[in-house]
Amino acid sequence: MDTLLHPSPTTSSMAKRPCQSSCENPNLPSRFTQMDHLLLSFLSLADSSPPVSLDLSFDRLLDSTPSDADQALLIDLAHSIGSLLLRAANRSARKRASLHNSIAWALPPDLTIKVFSMLDSQSLCYAAATCWMFNKCAMDPLCYENIDLTTVVPKVNNAVVSTMIQRAGKSFRSLKLGIVPGPTSSPGSCQPLVYTIQNSVDVSSFSWNEKKTRQGKESSILTRTCLYPLSGDNGTAGALLWRLHLYNIERMDNTSLCVALAACPSLLDLEIVGLHVELRQTLMSVSSNCHLIERLFFESSKTGRDDSLKSQTCVDVVNNCPNLSSLSLRGFKLHDYKVRILVKGFRKLKYADFSTSYSITGTFLRNLGSGSGGNLLEVLILRDCMHLKEVEVSRFLTAIIAGDFKFLQYLDISNREGLASEGDWYQRSYNPSIIPLKQVLEVRPNICLLAEFTSEGCFIDIEHMFDSDVNSEVSLPSQLSSHTSDGSLLMSSSESSYNSDRGSGNEEYQDSGFVIFEESSDEVDFLVV
């Protein structure tokens, strides 16, 4: 022990003598070096000598050394040898554990990678921290094809986003970022996804580590630069992206979002919730860069206050994004003539959601099911549209009874404030008597009709209406569909001209009509790398 830590002038001669343990133990491999024998002898002290003996031996070495410098050197040598042994032991333990796991784990590496690619990003990180073998499999780019970093509390920063995108490489296809309050709603649900103080989550059930991220720590906040990896390296990562979902990233602005969208020409699915960005600028960027897009979901962070959308922007996005089959614009101040441009313009549109839109009166529904555009709708959601008129809803349902909208499967006209009357939208109707709900379900029993008016009305299932004399509304589960189709594209001036609607903002419309061109029947080709 003294010789190992404190070399003496006779060390070299002692090293030349054959190791005594080698002679006493002929079972040791012949390839053992003198260092191997010395290490074996040193490790055997752990069993043969109590810890007190080692302490006393080391103290004697220090006492035999006259100077403080030499004593400090001995202590440093002991620390160094201990660190080297600890590092070697940890490495060997990991190697043995990995070997054991590779034998005990039933799946080969390629199937393990396939399984890991089906995990969400957080579960993948947990698996990667389990052992060396899982860590190696979890580093495969296929595991990062669909990156989901949405959380209930802020605990993801820009560095995490950049690292995962780099790991994905050419397999990168989907990115989800931000804070989703509570359980994620199913597609088509009208539950708001905007994260505000009013609907913030209860953190009483979270652990202390999760709560700490809510205390304004800068390292756990996504900023406007979180999407820069999409446009970096000449937009290599963005060019591969098919799906981009962003939720409640407070520091995101118009410029940063538009730069990111400009790097995503192959984008098929865009979902934006609670970002402080304008509808007009976002749609302009989508129109200019994302020509293959099939689904657009945009929920405003300030319900009823974003009036930025212009009619020319509607025309441009219709002409430049002909493959759009699902459109959701929730919480914006949309006028009927703008909505009509969109619904009539997108020839493949099958899913439309304008929930909580402030200025929609329903006049865009007139003649919507005849001619080109709008007749392929399968899902239409007009929930909590404050200015939606009872008479326009009645006309729409009458058109359904007459045979229009043959593909319509789901209709939601529920309104917690009731429907607006024809003469004065301040006068609300909570139990509309002129809406032919019963007749619609008699003619089209396959339609899922939802009409809930909570303030003064009550909920009565439409199936029970046939057994009562009460004119009521429907409460049925959501049925969703979003596919693609083809059709012609034309809008006449007579179909896009409407009388002024008091209080809705539609009186601002002065144009006589819009004609939208650009015929194309090409299907979307998915990007293959």
Side-chain angles (χ1 to χ4, degrees):
M1 181 68 181
D2 296 346
T3 305
L4 182 65
L5 295 177
H6 187 49
S8 65
T10 60
T11 300
S12 58
S13 60
M14 291 174 63
K16 293 180 181 179
R17 294 199 301 268
C19 181
Q20 186 175 3
S21 62
S22 177
C23 302
E24 295 176 354
N25 190 0
N27 296 326
L28 293 176
S30 59
R31 64 178 181 275
F32 263 33
T33 63
Q34 291 183 357
M35 177 61 72
D36 298 335
H37 290 293
L38 182 61
L39 181 60
L40 179 62
S41 299
F42 180 73
L43 294 177
S44 64
L45 293 176
D47 294 330
S48 61
S49 301
V52 176
S53 299
L54 293 177
D55 293 341
L56 294 175
S57 179
F58 191 72
D59 289 340
R60 285 194 297 270
L61 282 175
L62 292 178
D63 294 339
S64 65
T65 305
S67 65
D68 291 340
D70 291 339
Q71 290 181 0
L73 179 61
L74 280 176
I75 294 175
D76 290 341
L77 288 174
H79 283 153
S80 178
I81 291 177
S83 299
L84 291 175
L85 285 175
L86 179 61
R87 187 185 311 167
N90 289 338
R91 180 186 59 81
S92 299
R94 290 194 299 267
K95 185 176 179 181
R96 284 172 53 83
S98 178
L99 179 62
H100 169 77
N101 292 338
S102 62
I103 297 175
W105 183 248
L107 299 180
D110 56 338
L111 290 182
T112 302
I113 293 173
K114 182 65 175 178
V115 172
F116 283 2
S117 68
M118 300 176 183
L119 298 177
D120 61 89
S121 299
Q122 185 171 353
S123 300
L124 179 64
C125 293
Y126 289 153
T130 304
C131 66
W132 181 86
M133 183 192 73
F134 277 12
N135 183 273
K136 184 177 180 180
C137 293
M139 292 300 108
D140 192 277
L142 290 177
C143 297
Y144 300 89
E145 178 178 349
N146 301 305
I147 301 175
D148 185 354
L149 296 175
T150 55
T151 58
V152 178
V153 293
K155 55 183 177 180
V156 173
N157 58 21
N158 297 356
V160 174
V161 178
S162 178
T163 300
M164 292 214 170
I165 292 178
Q166 290 177 1
R167 289 179 182 176
K170 293 184 178 180
S171 300
F172 187 45
R173 292 295 180 273
S174 173
L175 177 63
K176 297 181 180 181
L177 293 178
I179 305 172
V180 179
T184 304
S185 302
S186 60
S189 171
C190 292
Q191 177 183 353
L193 298 177
V194 177
Y195 180 85
T196 62
I197 297 177
Q198 286 77 15
N199 68 352
S200 59
V201 296
D202 179 13
V203 298
S204 58
S205 60
F206 294 113
S207 66
W208 168 245
N209 288 333
E210 290 174 323
K211 290 179 181 179
K212 286 195 299 184
T213 62
R214 296 178 57 85
Q215 299 176 0
K217 294 181 63 177
E218 196 71 22
S219 59
S220 300
I221 296 179
L222 293 171
T223 68
R224 64 176 61 90
T225 62
C226 65
L227 297 179
Y228 276 13
L230 299 180
S231 55
D233 194 18
N234 296 322
T236 302
L240 303 171
L241 196 62
W242 290 349
R243 182 185 298 109
L244 178 62
H245 292 185
L246 306 173
Y247 304 95
N248 303 296
I249 304 176
E250 293 186 1
R251 301 191 179 187
M252 182 64 62
D253 56 21
N254 288 303
T255 302
S256 300
L257 179 61
C258 291
V259 169
L261 293 178
C264 304
S266 303
L267 198 64
L268 302 176
D269 182 357
L270 176 61
E271 185 163 330
I272 300 174
V273 175
L275 272 60
H276 301 303
V277 295
E278 284 188 356
L279 175 61
R280 181 178 64 87
Q281 293 194 28
T282 303
L283 289 187
M284 288 175 59
S285 183
V286 170
S287 173
S288 302
N289 304 290
C290 309
H291 299 159
L292 300 179
I293 192 166
E294 296 179 347
R295 177 181 180 268
L296 175 60
F297 184 104
F298 198 168
E299 183 170 342
S300 175
S301 62
K302 42 187 180 180
T303 302
R305 287 179 287 173
D306 189 341
D307 191 20
S308 61
L309 185 61
K310 306 299 180 183
S311 54
Q312 185 57 49
T313 305
C314 297
V315 174
D316 292 340
V317 72
V318 163
N319 288 332
N320 294 329
C321 304
N323 298 296
L324 196 74
S325 61
S326 177
L327 176 64
S328 298
L329 301 176
R330 295 166 42 160
F332 296 98
K333 191 174 182 180
L334 299 175
H335 305 306
D336 283 85
Y337 66 92
K338 298 175 185 177
V339 176
R340 189 174 182 86
I341 292 174
L342 296 173
V343 176
K344 292 284 286 185
F346 290 119
R347 298 160 303 151
K348 299 182 179 182
L349 189 65
K350 292 192 173 185
Y351 182 103
D353 181 2
F354 302 106
S355 300
T356 65
S357 295
Y358 185 77
S359 297
I360 289 180
T361 65
T363 53
F364 79 94
L365 297 171
R366 299 177 185 177
N367 301 320
L368 190 62
S370 60
S372 61
N375 58 336
L376 297 179
L377 276 177
E378 295 182 1
V379 176
L380 178 61
I381 303 176
L382 300 174
R383 191 180 188 94
D384 292 331
C385 293
M386 183 177 295
H387 292 86
L388 186 62
K389 291 186 175 182
E390 179 183 16
V391 64
E392 297 298 341
V393 173
S394 179
R395 289 172 180 169
F396 179 69
L397 296 181
T398 301
I400 294 177
I401 296 173
D404 292 341
F405 304 99
K406 297 182 181 298
F407 299 98
L408 191 65
Q409 300 176 9
Y410 180 91
L411 175 64
D412 187 352
I413 55 172
S414 303
N415 201 312
R416 58 189 174 186
E417 300 294 338
L419 297 178
S421 65
E422 172 66 12
D424 185 0
W425 75 275
Y426 288 104
Q427 183 178 349
R428 317 301 294 183
S429 175
Y430 297 95
N431 191 15
S433 58
I434 66 172
I435 297 181
L437 297 175
K438 179 178 178 180
Q439 294 87 333
V440 169
L441 292 187
E442 287 177 345
V443 176
R444 299 280 296 276
N446 62 318
I447 288 183
C448 179
L449 182 59
L450 197 64
E452 299 175 351
F453 306 94
T454 60
S455 295
E456 296 182 8
C458 60
F459 304 145
I460 298 180
D461 196 321
I462 197 65
E463 294 178 357
H464 298 114
M465 181 185 294
F466 297 104
D467 300 326
S468 67
D469 296 329
V470 181
N471 281 325
S472 174
E473 282 72 48
V474 197
S475 178
L476 296 176
S478 167
Q479 302 291 333
L480 307 173
S481 176
S482 178
H483 305 287
T484 58
S485 182
D486 199 8
S488 58
L489 180 58
L490 178 63
M491 181 177 298
S492 65
S493 60
S494 61
E495 290 179 338
S496 58
S497 300
Y498 303 97
N499 296 327
S500 63
D501 299 291
R502 185 172 63 170
S504 68
N506 286 290
E507 64 274 7
E508 299 172 5
Y509 176 45
Q510 301 295 335
D511 298 337
S512 60
F514 298 91
V515 179
I516 308 172
F517 302 95
E518 186 171 323
E519 296 287 333
S520 174
S521 60
D522 297 334
E523 296 295 330
V524 178
D525 294 327
F526 284 83
L527 180 65
V528 179
V529 180

